[in-house]
Amino acid sequence: MGQEKAVEVLRRAAESQPGHSHAMSHAWLITGPPGSGRSNAAKAFAAALQCDDHGCGQCNSCRTTLSGAHPDVTLVRTEALSIGVDEVRELVRRAAMNPVHGRHQVVVVEDADRITERGADALLKAIEEPAPKTVWLLCAPTPDDVIVTIRSRCRRLHLATPRDEAVAELLIRRDGISPEMAAEAARAGQGHIGRARHLARDGEARARRDAIGELPTRLRSLGDCLQAAEDLVNQASEEAAAATAEVDAAERAELEKALGFGSSGARPRNAQAALRDLEKQQAARAKRLQRDALDRVLTELTAYHRDVLAIQTGAVRPDEENALRGARLVNTGWSSSLHQVAQSQSPERTISVIDAILDARNSLERGVTPLLVMETLLIAMTGVDRAPW
């Protein structure tokens, strides 16, 4: 959606003949904001590289690549907080193999920004001295999220943030959403098509989001802040647990079967260590999903205070608040709350709140306890720590 330039670059590369064109490269870094379609672009490009028709979308090569079943396409999406050196070495080993069926050996890394420094060192040699038929497709939010030695050796492709009106038009045409709901969801999604679609179709998701929008006017005391922080962290944990419960159970059952667990309840020797490793991996996945859920809360609060600042500085005129292009509010449904906060504090205070939200994001990234991060933020955001006692 709205990525015509990027699509044309990838199409030319897929159609180019090896040795006859500079359009193709053995290593690509595909960047763009969340929801812009980085991994979708990478998978579609991988399919086009394997397809005799350069990406027909219908043949066996295209279908198996997009579903993750193609033997010569490796799709890597970590559910942990990082991709370590052992995992990268395994990828490098696979990348060096000759294709079994396809034209290339393609490795798609959806979270290249999560590769550790030691992992990046292991990857660097493979990108500097690639096997003749190997193509690396690395995805990350920005080039700066990938270590400089890696990004300097990749051809870069940046995906733009889709325009709100394009996202709204897609929701109306593809999903049958009403124009009013589509416009509100498109603004709230901030260019993230998947998020906009989820908000437009899921009443519970809208209710959870509205609860976040009530925080700046609802929290009055230190007790309110501490309780709200606990509620947000618990909700993020529940979301993570719900998202992983089925996968966790299936993984454990599969491992127990592989280890030879019998119906009598017999536990083979050395099974405990393997089960502990699995539990560790599953805990890391749950931790990441919890952090992602809290990061969405921080994104909503950032957009809320961005709107407050836009009202305070006159950057958005009252008659343009609901527009889909130009100067407009992200959260038109919260208009009365936004105006209330805008009138009750100075623009300088609003900027200090936005700084506090960014500090909270950095603290989460550094591994500070989520409850402490959210308590500190909500106290700073409401200013109860500055109130006279």
Side-chain angles (χ1 to χ4, degrees):
M1 169 57 62
Q3 308 292 356
E4 292 80 10
K5 284 184 182 174
V7 167
E8 187 51 38
V9 168
L10 296 178
R11 182 174 285 128
R12 279 204 311 273
E15 291 173 354
S16 67
Q17 294 300 312
H20 293 91
S21 171
H22 297 296
M24 187 53 195
S25 172
H26 72 278
W28 295 71
L29 177 56
I30 301 173
T31 58
S36 58
R38 298 185 302 254
S39 58
N40 284 341
K43 284 187 282 193
F45 185 38
L49 291 174
Q50 302 293 20
C51 173
D52 290 336
D53 243 346
H54 314 302
C56 68
Q58 305 299 320
C59 69
N60 187 54
S61 290
C62 284
R63 289 202 315 275
T64 53
T65 297
L66 295 173
S67 69
H70 196 293
D72 299 319
V73 179
T74 304
L75 302 176
V76 183
R77 184 181 188 280
T78 183
E79 285 168 328
L81 297 175
S82 60
I83 300 175
V85 64
D86 291 340
E87 194 172 349
V88 172
R89 282 179 182 147
E90 175 59 22
L91 289 178
V92 168
R93 188 190 66 76
R94 288 199 62 171
M97 295 166 67
N98 271 327
V100 179
H101 299 303
R103 301 140 67 94
H104 299 273
Q105 187 70 250
V106 185
V107 182
V108 178
V109 184
E110 292 189 19
D111 305 284
D113 51 311
R114 294 180 189 266
I115 296 175
T116 62
E117 272 193 50
R118 285 186 65 210
D121 289 341
L123 177 59
L124 184 59
K125 188 169 175 59
I127 289 180
E128 281 181 324
E129 302 170 13
K133 294 184 177 179
T134 298
V135 180
W136 291 88
L137 305 179
L138 310 179
C139 306
T142 74
D144 291 339
D145 292 316
V146 177
I147 196 163
V148 63
T149 47
I150 298 287
R151 69 174 184 258
S152 65
R153 286 160 177 80
C154 294
R155 179 168 179 188
R156 295 192 207 174
L157 182 80
H158 186 70
L159 302 181
T161 303
R163 301 182 313 280
D164 287 351
E165 66 261 39
V167 175
E169 189 272 326
L170 178 70
L171 293 176
I172 294 165
R173 175 171 50 80
R174 187 186 66 186
D175 300 304
I177 307 296
S178 72
E180 298 77 17
M181 177 64 76
E184 190 171 334
R187 279 188 296 264
Q190 297 181 69
H192 192 308
I193 296 170
R195 176 76 175 144
R197 185 170 185 257
H198 186 53
L199 287 170
R201 296 179 56 165
D202 188 331
E204 279 187 32
R206 291 197 297 276
R208 282 197 300 271
R209 183 172 175 275
D210 285 340
I212 297 167
E214 290 170 6
L215 291 174
T217 52
R218 182 171 68 79
L219 304 181
R220 307 267 179 199
S221 67
L222 181 61
D224 289 345
C225 293
L226 298 180
Q227 185 60 56
E230 187 180 347
D231 291 345
L232 287 170
V233 172
N234 287 343
Q235 188 180 353
S237 297
E238 287 164 15
E239 274 187 53
T244 59
E246 204 174 309
V247 180
D248 285 356
E251 285 176 346
R252 188 179 179 95
E254 192 178 332
L255 179 60
E256 287 181 354
K257 186 179 174 185
L259 289 169
F261 275 54
S263 55
S264 61
R267 299 170 73 85
R269 285 187 311 166
N270 304 326
Q272 211 55 44
L275 287 171
R276 271 200 306 270
D277 282 347
L278 177 65
E279 285 163 5
K280 200 170 163 187
Q281 289 167 17
Q282 291 178 342
R285 174 167 60 204
K287 185 178 177 185
R288 176 188 162 182
L289 290 177
Q290 182 203 39
R291 197 172 78 179
D292 287 350
L294 289 173
D295 200 56
R296 283 194 293 276
V297 174
L298 299 181
T299 300
E300 300 293 5
L301 289 174
T302 306
Y304 181 102
H305 289 91
R306 171 264 184 208
D307 283 352
V308 170
L309 193 62
I311 292 167
Q312 288 174 324
T313 57
V316 175
R317 298 207 319 254
D319 59 329
E320 292 179 342
E321 287 184 359
N322 294 327
L324 275 173
R325 61 167 67 193
R328 60 201 181 280
L329 295 185
V330 171
N331 304 290
T332 53
W334 301 342
S335 182
S336 62
S337 168
L338 294 167
H339 280 275
Q340 181 185 331
V341 173
Q343 288 160 14
S344 68
Q345 66 187 34
S346 68
E348 291 81 4
R349 167 78 186 134
T350 304
I351 289 172
S352 74
V353 170
I354 293 172
D355 284 339
I357 298 169
L358 296 178
D359 286 343
R361 173 167 277 136
N362 290 334
S363 296
L364 278 179
E365 284 288 333
R366 292 199 312 273
V368 179
T369 307
L371 183 59
L372 180 60
V373 172
M374 299 312 289
E375 286 176 347
T376 304
L377 169 62
L378 296 186
I379 290 168
M381 195 174 83
T382 53
V384 295
D385 56 331
R386 297 179 295 119
W389 297 101

